């Protein structure tokens, strides 16, 4: 599947130019070998039918968050309270958790700092917002994308940094 996606990407990048396939076959094969070595197949698989719904949610959420960050930073009084928040994770280790951490870093206003065990440390632009609810919603979306049931969360760090 990954090989087909890489070949499709090459097709798009070369505007379907048939002459580019001589070099393209070598590039696609090399990128595929490297990607399999760096990111070996895991036990979790994306549910392709969930992908459009997930991407729609991600795009809408990114636009709303981007607008909020812009509004805050351009306001006459800087309406931010930066800091870190720890969040217990319900997603299993591996691809789902990796995707969640990177997804949250792509959202305006949050940056994943560290994943340690069952916890995620986030840097937030405004710690007064309900970060836990936003992360829980993102976790539900990622779980649905992988076809997973979320397990109950535990408090991974009995001490609290905030």
């Amino acid at each position: 599947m990954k090989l087909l996606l890489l070949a499709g990407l090459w097709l798009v990048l070369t505007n379907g130019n048939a002459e580019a396939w001589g070099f393209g076959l070598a590039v696609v094969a090399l990128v595929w070998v490297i990607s399999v070595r760096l990111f070996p197949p895991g036990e979790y698989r994306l549910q392709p039918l969930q992908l459009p719904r997930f991407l729609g949610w991600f795009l809408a959420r990114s636009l709303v968050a981007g607008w909020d960050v812009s509004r805050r930073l351009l306001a006459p009084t800087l309406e931010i309270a930066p800091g870190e928040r720890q969040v217990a994770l319900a997603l299993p280790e591996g691809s789902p958790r990796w995707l969640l951490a990177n997804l949250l870093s792509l959202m305006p206003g949050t940056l994943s700092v560290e994943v340690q065990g069952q916890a995620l440390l986030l840097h937030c632009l405004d710690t007064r917002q309900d970060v836990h609810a936003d992360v829980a919603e993102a976790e539900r979306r990622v779980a649905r994308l992988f076809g997973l049931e979320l397990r109950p969360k535990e408090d991974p760090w009995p001490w609290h940094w905030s």
Side-chain angles (χ1 to χ4, degrees), residues 2-11 13 20-35:
K2 188 185 288 188
L3 189 59
L4 289 175
L5 288 172
L6 290 170
L9 180 60
W10 183 261
L11 186 68
L13 290 174
W21 277 109
F23 179 67
L25 288 176
V27 169
V28 167
L30 180 63
V31 170
W32 179 75
V33 167
I34 291 170
S35 73

Side-chain angles (χ1 to χ4, degrees), residues 17 26 31 47 61 83-85 99 105 120-121 146:
N17 185 350
V31 170
Q47 306 295 311
R61 183 69 189 115
E84 293 178 337
R85 290 286 181 250
L99 178 61
S105 289
L120 173 65
L121 183 62
F146 281 95

Side-chain angles (χ1 to χ4, degrees), residues 13 15 27 32 44 55 67-69 71 87-89 96 106 115 121 129 132 134 141-142 144 146-147 152 158:
L13 290 174
N15 292 321
V27 169
W32 179 75
Y44 304 106
L55 292 174
W67 177 260
D68 180 59
V69 169
R71 179 191 58 80
V87 181
L89 299 174
L106 290 173
V115 176
L121 183 62
Q129 291 184 307
H132 295 278
D134 290 342
R141 300 291 182 148
V142 170
R144 189 178 304 136
F146 281 95

